[in-house]
Amino acid sequence: MSQFERRALVASPTAPAQAAAAELADAADWVDPADADVVIALGGDGFLLQTLHTMLDRRRPVPVFGMNLGTVGFLMNEWRRHGLVDRLERAKAFKVTPLLVTVTGIDGRIHQMPAINEVSVLRETRQTAKIEVMVNDRVVLPELACDGILAATPAGSTAYNLSAHGPILPLGSNLLALTPISPFRPRRWRGAILPDKARIQWRVLDPDKRPVSAVADQHEIRDVAQVDIAMDRARELTLLFDPEHALDDRITMEQFIS
């Protein structure tokens, strides 16, 4: 018997993903995602992130196998209608550990949210943001003047982090990337690579005059005073990839793309 006997199918609302879902409608006896052993996600990277976030709310997260019907599809497998059962049996599993982000607003309210790719803080107005950066309760940058700053996991290091000139982190490296966004002062600071057991804290300086928002993947909180970040090892997720298109290989090869 297959380890993925009960399969669920979810699709982005885009026309290509819906058309692909219609093609697969009769390919299996699909079950509700809550009852599945594996979830097949049709769409792009953004939809896959949404699907993974739904897994975080489950007592028993199940693996997700994505097929690309979006644009980039870095976290996805190639879309093919046939041979799905065989692909699932041969798939290579990758564990993804999300970040737990605790945001304190200037009104004192506290919000907690997960981030699978990255968490960032960004200036809300034309005023440059000024942020104190702490690592493991130690102030490492008393004042970073910038458009923002982000912390990325290895799975997310090729996304926003890469576009902000941050480093690509191999899967399994147990590292986090701390990357400034358009830094003004100190001019020569280009970021840091930290062990993923590090506790990161960003404190917004003068948040009334220089308001800042916090974004964890696709969830935004505005007018923040402080952001605390740590790995959430209690909620590990699993992505499945075709052996010939494994995520670790993609991340390695991304370093050689000009």
Side-chain angles (χ1 to χ4, degrees):
M1 179 180 292
S2 169
Q3 61 176 320
F4 301 127
E5 192 69 24
R6 296 175 299 175
R7 298 182 289 274
L9 181 68
V10 295
S12 163
T14 64
Q18 288 297 310
E23 288 189 47
L24 290 176
D26 298 327
D29 293 325
W30 303 108
V31 302
D32 186 273
D35 301 320
D37 299 318
V38 65
V39 172
I40 313 302
L42 307 179
D45 288 332
F47 182 72
L48 182 67
L49 278 178
Q50 291 180 32
T51 304
L52 289 173
H53 273 274
T54 65
M55 291 293 139
L56 291 172
D57 297 328
R58 296 180 55 166
R59 180 176 300 177
R60 185 182 65 88
V62 300
V64 177
F65 183 89
M67 286 196 281
N68 186 30
L69 276 303
T71 305
V72 178
F74 189 83
L75 298 173
M76 312 295 279
N77 297 283
E78 179 185 353
W79 154 249
R80 295 199 300 270
R81 176 181 178 180
H82 301 290
L84 179 59
V85 174
D86 181 61
R87 292 173 74 184
L88 290 174
E89 291 302 319
R90 297 190 307 111
K92 189 174 181 179
F94 286 92
K95 300 296 183 180
V96 176
T97 305
L99 299 169
L100 176 62
V101 183
T102 303
V103 178
T104 304
I106 59 175
D107 59 2
R109 295 178 61 186
I110 295 176
H111 312 263
Q112 280 198 330
M113 48 191 183
I116 297 167
N117 268 4
E118 78 278 318
V119 56
S120 59
V121 292
L122 304 162
R123 65 186 177 100
E124 294 180 5
T125 68
R126 65 183 183 278
Q127 294 280 1
T128 299
K130 292 189 176 181
I131 300 166
E132 177 191 78
V133 180
M134 298 182 67
V135 176
N136 296 330
D137 303 318
R138 176 183 178 184
V139 176
V140 292
L141 285 176
E143 182 179 290
L144 173 65
C146 58
D147 280 357
I149 186 172
L150 64 85
T153 66
S157 67
T158 56
Y160 190 10
N161 172 70
L162 182 58
S163 69
H165 306 291
I168 294 175
L169 304 176
L171 282 182
S173 61
N174 299 319
L175 297 172
L176 296 174
L178 191 63
T179 303
I181 303 167
S182 300
F184 180 67
R185 289 281 193 276
R187 289 189 184 275
R188 295 189 178 181
W189 190 67
R190 292 295 178 264
I193 297 175
L194 304 174
D196 65 4
K197 64 182 178 181
R199 302 182 313 279
I200 301 168
Q201 183 183 93
W202 299 325
R203 188 170 69 87
V204 181
L205 306 177
D206 199 3
D208 293 316
K209 180 181 177 181
R210 302 172 183 273
V212 166
S213 64
V215 182
D217 289 343
Q218 299 156 334
H219 189 183
E220 180 183 20
I221 302 293
R222 296 181 69 82
D223 301 329
V224 307
Q226 182 173 303
V227 178
D228 294 271
I229 305 161
M231 298 297 286
D232 188 359
R233 302 189 189 280
R235 298 202 288 179
E236 195 172 61
L237 301 169
T238 303
L239 283 172
L240 298 176
F241 289 92
D242 291 319
E244 64 273 19
H245 295 293
L247 185 58
D248 54 350
D249 294 333
R250 295 186 189 189
I251 289 176
T252 297
M253 295 311 298
E254 193 72 19
Q255 299 177 80
F256 300 96
I257 296 176
S258 59

